[in-house]
Amino acid sequence: MAQAKSKSSVKVKVQKFGTALSGMIMPNIGAIIAWGLTAAFFMYPHGWFPNKEINNLVQPMLHYLLPLLIGYTGGRMVYEERGAIAGAIGTLGVIVGTDQPMFLGAMIMGPLSAWLLKKLDQVFQDKIKSGFEMIYNNFSLGILGMIAAIFAFFIIGPIMEVGSQWASAGVNAIIRVHLLPLANIIIEPAKVLFLMESNPGPGLGILLAFTLFGKGKSKSSAPGAAIIEFFGGVHEIYFPYVLMKPSLILAAIGGGVTGTFLFTTLGGGLKAAASPGSILAILLVSAKDAYFGNIVGVLGAAVVSFIIAAIILKNDKSTGDELEAKQAQMQAMKAQSKGQSMPEAEDAHESVKSYANVKKIIFACDAGMGSSAMGASLLRDKFKKAGIKVSVTNTAVRNLKDEDGLLIITQEELADRALQKTPHAMHVAVGNFLSSPKYDTIVASFKALTQVEDKPKAEKPVKKVGSLEGIDFSKVKEVDFIRHDQHLGTATMATSLFNDAIKKAGKTTPVKAVRINELTDDPSHLVIVTPAANKNLAVRYSDIQTLVVDDLLKDKKLGEAIQKLN
């Protein structure tokens, strides 16, 4: 049992590491495409329209711009703005230390520099005297950035250069023995758990097979899914169809191997990353002499996967009504593959009144692109038909910002991350962005708001929730302040000031700054919160005690509470 837990722990760490690497690349795909298109059009002498002057942009973009953006993004993921700047400085050291494009070096130095700065701040920031904060912040960042850049120049850069040479030798060996197409035996099954590559052919073939030979809901939904997958580049839409009939993995593998074989045989190739994996994106970034190879490779992959899938589906005896169940299964498998559990998200849609303060709805997914954008579009259409005027947008989970009046809609395996980023928002978790009954519930709740507000309300005593009078101080064993990414400084300062005041008053009750999901639901916890934070707290916990204040640092109720504590 212990050995199994150990293996699981290692698996989780590796998967989180992979997700972090992806998070550094995805926000910068646009910049990578900009470099690729510049090279494709104007590189001298091999571009479509060779130009010596514009060609001067190509190498600086590859060697400096892209690694610095990746390092900046990696630093920001670890430690917000200060971490982003530290990450960029550290990345410059690894860039200058080698002649190779340092994408991997940036993925190392960006987060590492930010992490070191974060640890430095944890040691010294609370010890800085009032009025000297700016001096400390600037000089600590500058000094650590200098050290990180020098370390990267002398240590990380040379290591990365040697590693790049070894990797290049390995790739060349695979090409020499003509084994590259066989890589799809691993890639295609892994795609179902979101290890992505851009060829839309295998997915198109499978969905076309469902269109002709499928049954029930899977047959009726496949044509629309095929259009979205092939032209929109949202590959995840066909994964539930594969899960309905696991033997269809063979169709995906067959299509993938065929596509890669045709690409390599016919000279296919891209000048930049095709993101999303749409046929339109592939055509836009195809190399000047690679259109034929790319088109034949994609279509060949689609034909082979279609033939294999058609054979499998024609011998299928099921009813074809399992699509929704398999969509949920896909989410569970993805969560397990990333070392996550399926959290019980806040069912904010259960209460009509809880929507009264919602001013904006945000769909959040890992990348902030394909599926969340489509989910947002579906809900916007429903709102338009219902006459509801509420803003609906989409973004990546990592880019969420906490603010009042937010409703966050995310996939179930991302619910915990979304809650950590936006603890004051309402949250609804769905199994699949493209078809969830919760959208209709959300629409109905907004429509019902006016009816709820117009009903005459019976007069009854108003209970002061979160007031001093409602707190049983004899049960309080710990005082807590809620901290989260966007207000870390305020929560830390409030905890420190309250703790100092507790000591001066001769009290012994411990004071802590905790995340909202770290609380224990019992009356021994007195949580001091603002009115906005108290709304989210009330949904999650029923037995903790709260003191609602307008200002965490200087509300007069803070002093009164201290006098009543043990």
Side-chain angles (χ1 to χ4, degrees):
M1 181 67 72
Q3 185 178 4
K5 289 183 178 179
S6 176
K7 289 181 179 179
S8 176
S9 176
V10 172
K11 173 185 173 184
V12 169
K13 291 177 181 178
V14 170
Q15 290 160 344
K16 286 183 177 179
F17 178 69
T19 300
L21 295 182
S22 173
M24 284 184 264
I25 294 295
M26 292 304 295
N28 298 304
I29 287 292
I32 296 173
I33 291 174
W35 163 76
L37 291 176
T38 304
F41 278 104
F42 305 112
M43 181 180 286
Y44 189 85
H46 302 297
W48 292 327
F49 310 104
N51 186 294
K52 286 186 177 181
E53 297 299 320
I54 300 178
N55 183 63
N56 291 327
L57 293 172
V58 175
Q59 287 303 314
M61 290 174 74
L62 177 63
H63 284 272
Y64 292 96
L65 175 64
L66 297 180
L68 284 172
L69 285 173
I70 292 170
Y72 182 92
T73 305
R76 185 183 181 88
M77 290 169 59
V78 174
Y79 197 35
E80 296 296 333
E81 291 298 329
R82 281 171 62 76
I85 296 170
I89 298 172
T91 298
L92 185 61
V94 79
I95 292 172
V96 178
T98 176
D99 294 330
Q100 302 291 332
M102 276 293 104
F103 284 47
L104 184 56
M107 293 182 191
I108 294 173
M109 286 309 303
L112 176 61
S113 302
W115 181 80
L116 291 173
L117 180 64
K118 184 177 182 179
K119 293 301 178 183
L120 185 71
D121 284 352
Q122 288 175 351
V123 173
F124 292 107
Q125 206 162 47
D126 290 340
K127 299 180 175 63
I128 304 303
K129 300 296 183 182
S130 179
F132 290 87
E133 293 88 354
M134 185 175 293
I135 292 177
Y136 166 79
N137 288 339
N138 289 334
F139 275 87
S140 62
L141 177 53
I143 293 170
L144 187 136
M146 175 191 69
I147 294 172
I150 294 172
F151 171 75
F153 178 81
F154 285 107
I155 305 298
I156 302 299
I159 292 175
M160 290 296 101
E161 186 165 15
V162 172
S164 296
Q165 293 172 356
W166 287 354
S168 178
V171 171
N172 289 334
I174 292 175
I175 294 174
R176 280 197 302 271
V177 296
H178 307 291
L179 291 178
L180 190 58
L182 298 183
N184 289 82
I185 294 175
I186 298 174
I187 290 173
E188 292 302 329
K191 281 172 68 176
V192 179
L193 292 175
F194 277 6
L195 193 160
M196 299 294 292
E197 58 94 27
S198 59
N199 183 2
L204 175 65
I206 290 172
L207 292 171
L208 290 178
F210 269 99
T211 301
L212 296 178
F213 305 109
K215 301 172 184 175
K217 292 181 181 178
S218 61
K219 179 181 176 71
S220 61
S221 61
I227 294 173
I228 292 169
E229 194 269 348
F230 191 61
F231 293 103
V234 184
H235 290 208
E236 68 189 51
I237 199 169
Y238 82 85
F239 301 162
Y241 294 83
V242 174
L243 290 174
M244 288 175 61
K245 193 73 176 176
S247 55
L248 287 173
I249 284 289
L250 298 175
I253 291 174
V257 170
T258 301
T260 304
F261 173 77
L262 291 173
F263 292 147
T264 55
T265 303
L266 301 177
L270 304 177
K271 286 287 189 177
S275 179
S278 158
I279 186 62
L280 301 178
I282 289 174
L283 294 177
L284 282 173
V285 297
S286 288
K288 185 177 182 180
D289 56 352
Y291 278 103
F292 179 75
N294 288 342
I295 292 172
V296 171
V298 171
L299 295 181
V303 169
V304 171
S305 65
F306 170 80
I307 292 172
I308 298 174
I311 294 172
I312 293 172
L313 292 176
K314 288 187 72 173
N315 291 284
D316 185 18
K317 304 300 182 183
S318 64
T319 63
D321 291 328
E322 316 97 313
L323 181 59
E324 291 182 4
K326 293 304 179 183
Q327 286 172 335
Q329 180 185 342
M330 180 190 74
Q331 301 298 332
M333 290 176 66
K334 285 161 50 186
Q336 184 180 7
S337 77
K338 296 176 182 177
Q340 300 168 336
S341 59
M342 296 296 286
E344 292 293 331
E346 297 173 60
D347 290 327
H349 61 283
E350 292 293 330
S351 169
V352 171
K353 290 185 179 180
S354 63
Y355 286 82
N357 296 321
V358 173
K359 306 301 180 188
K360 181 164 59 175
I361 297 175
I362 299 178
F363 280 71
C365 67
D366 249 334
M369 298 182 185
S371 58
S372 62
M374 295 176 63
S377 178
L378 288 173
L379 188 60
R380 273 195 297 268
D381 288 343
K382 290 179 180 289
F383 276 7
K384 185 177 181 180
K385 293 175 182 177
I388 299 170
K389 296 182 179 180
V390 177
S391 171
V392 182
T393 59
N394 64 286
T395 188
V397 170
R398 61 180 173 275
N399 294 330
L400 288 172
K401 299 295 182 183
D402 198 32
E403 57 184 280
D404 293 336
L406 277 185
L407 168 59
I408 306 298
I409 301 177
T410 190
Q411 293 157 316
E412 289 170 339
E413 77 272 16
L414 298 177
D416 279 345
R417 287 171 57 190
L419 184 59
Q420 289 175 8
K421 297 289 287 185
T422 55
H424 295 156
M426 292 171 55
H427 292 263
V428 172
V430 299
N432 182 4
F433 278 137
L434 304 180
S435 60
S436 174
K438 293 184 180 180
Y439 296 161
D440 293 330
T441 307
I442 292 171
V443 172
S445 296
F446 276 109
K447 289 280 287 182
L449 269 177
T450 53
Q451 300 175 12
V452 173
E453 291 169 352
D454 291 343
K455 285 182 179 179
K457 298 177 182 177
E459 293 185 6
K460 54 183 178 181
V462 178
K463 182 180 179 181
K464 292 185 178 180
V465 178
S467 64
L468 283 167
E469 293 79 7
I471 299 172
D472 185 350
F473 284 91
S474 65
K475 296 181 179 179
V476 175
K477 306 297 182 186
E478 178 181 305
V479 176
D480 298 305
F481 288 83
I482 303 298
R483 67 179 180 88
H484 52 91
D485 292 343
Q486 282 71 44
H487 297 87
L488 181 60
T490 302
T492 303
M493 186 178 296
T495 303
S496 178
L497 291 175
F498 196 84
N499 193 42
D500 290 344
I502 283 278
K503 292 178 181 178
K504 288 180 181 179
K507 309 287 183 170
T508 59
T509 305
V511 184
K512 297 180 181 179
V514 300
R515 293 187 182 278
I516 193 170
N517 58 343
E518 295 173 345
L519 289 167
T520 302
D521 192 18
D522 64 65
S524 66
H525 287 264
L526 172 61
V527 185
I528 300 178
V529 289
T530 59
N534 189 52
K535 294 177 183 178
N536 212 41
L537 207 65
V539 177
R540 294 178 62 87
Y541 301 104
S542 58
D543 293 332
I544 61 171
Q545 303 192 78
T546 59
L547 174 60
V548 179
V549 297
D550 294 324
D551 190 322
L552 292 174
L553 302 178
K554 53 186 179 182
D555 194 291
K556 67 177 183 179
K557 285 188 280 188
L558 296 171
E560 297 174 11
I562 290 173
Q563 297 304 316
K564 295 177 179 291
L565 289 168
N566 295 323

